Amino acid sequence: QVQLVESGGGLVQAGGFLRLSCVASGRIFSIDDMGWYRQAPGKQRELVAGITSVGSTTYADSVKDRFTISRDNAKNTVHLQMNTLKPEDTAVYYCNARIKESWRGAEYQYWGQGTQVTVSS
């Protein structure tokens, strides 16, 4: 059973920073794309940042130049460094990964349980 566990959320003032981490564990053969999504109250879940297995990245326009996604393939982890946080960044942040459990198996998408990020003005 594969699990994604996030950490690092919390309450921070506008202009501050947080670093989110997500560790994948369990039966893992390979991990393809990893990413961070967020969902604010009353809004749809949206992609914040994504990173491929070879390190290519993509960002939502609203977080470009403020957030940085990175990953450590040896440790099955992905991080999101969030700088210059704004109240509109307040949301539950979810880790996402596409994982194969065996070399013959299919690739499935997994989600973490979410971590709350609250930015006060």
Side-chain angles (χ1 to χ4, degrees), residues 21-41:
S21 296
C22 172
V23 180
S25 63
R27 188 181 178 191
I28 297 172
F29 173 75
S30 64
I31 303 178
D32 194 357
D33 296 349
M34 303 184 83
W36 290 94
Y37 288 70
R38 68 186 180 188
Q39 187 166 20

Side-chain angles (χ1 to χ4, degrees), residues 1 4 9-10 22-23 31 34-36 53 56-57 83 109 113-114:
Q1 183 74 11
L4 300 182
C22 172
V23 180
I31 303 178
M34 303 184 83
W36 290 94
S53 59
S56 296
T57 59
N83 297 329
Q109 183 171 237
Q113 81 284 356

Side-chain angles (χ1 to χ4, degrees), residues 60-77:
D61 288 343
S62 59
V63 307
K64 279 180 181 176
D65 300 323
R66 298 189 298 122
F67 291 9
T68 302
I69 189 170
S70 62
R71 65 189 284 174
D72 184 335
N73 291 333
K75 296 181 179 180
N76 292 338
T77 60

Side-chain angles (χ1 to χ4, degrees), residues 41-98:
K43 295 188 176 181
Q44 288 190 329
R45 190 173 297 189
E46 63 174 355
L47 174 67
V48 176
I51 185 167
T52 69
S53 59
V54 295
S56 296
T57 59
T58 185
Y59 296 93
D61 288 343
S62 59
V63 307
K64 279 180 181 176
D65 300 323
R66 298 189 298 122
F67 291 9
T68 302
I69 189 170
S70 62
R71 65 189 284 174
D72 184 335
N73 291 333
K75 296 181 179 180
N76 292 338
T77 60
V78 62
H79 306 283
L80 186 68
Q81 179 67 41
M82 305 186 293
N83 297 329
T84 318
L85 283 160
K86 303 176 181 181
E88 51 263 43
D89 294 318
T90 296
V92 178
Y93 283 70
Y94 297 91
C95 175
N96 173 273
R98 295 188 176 276

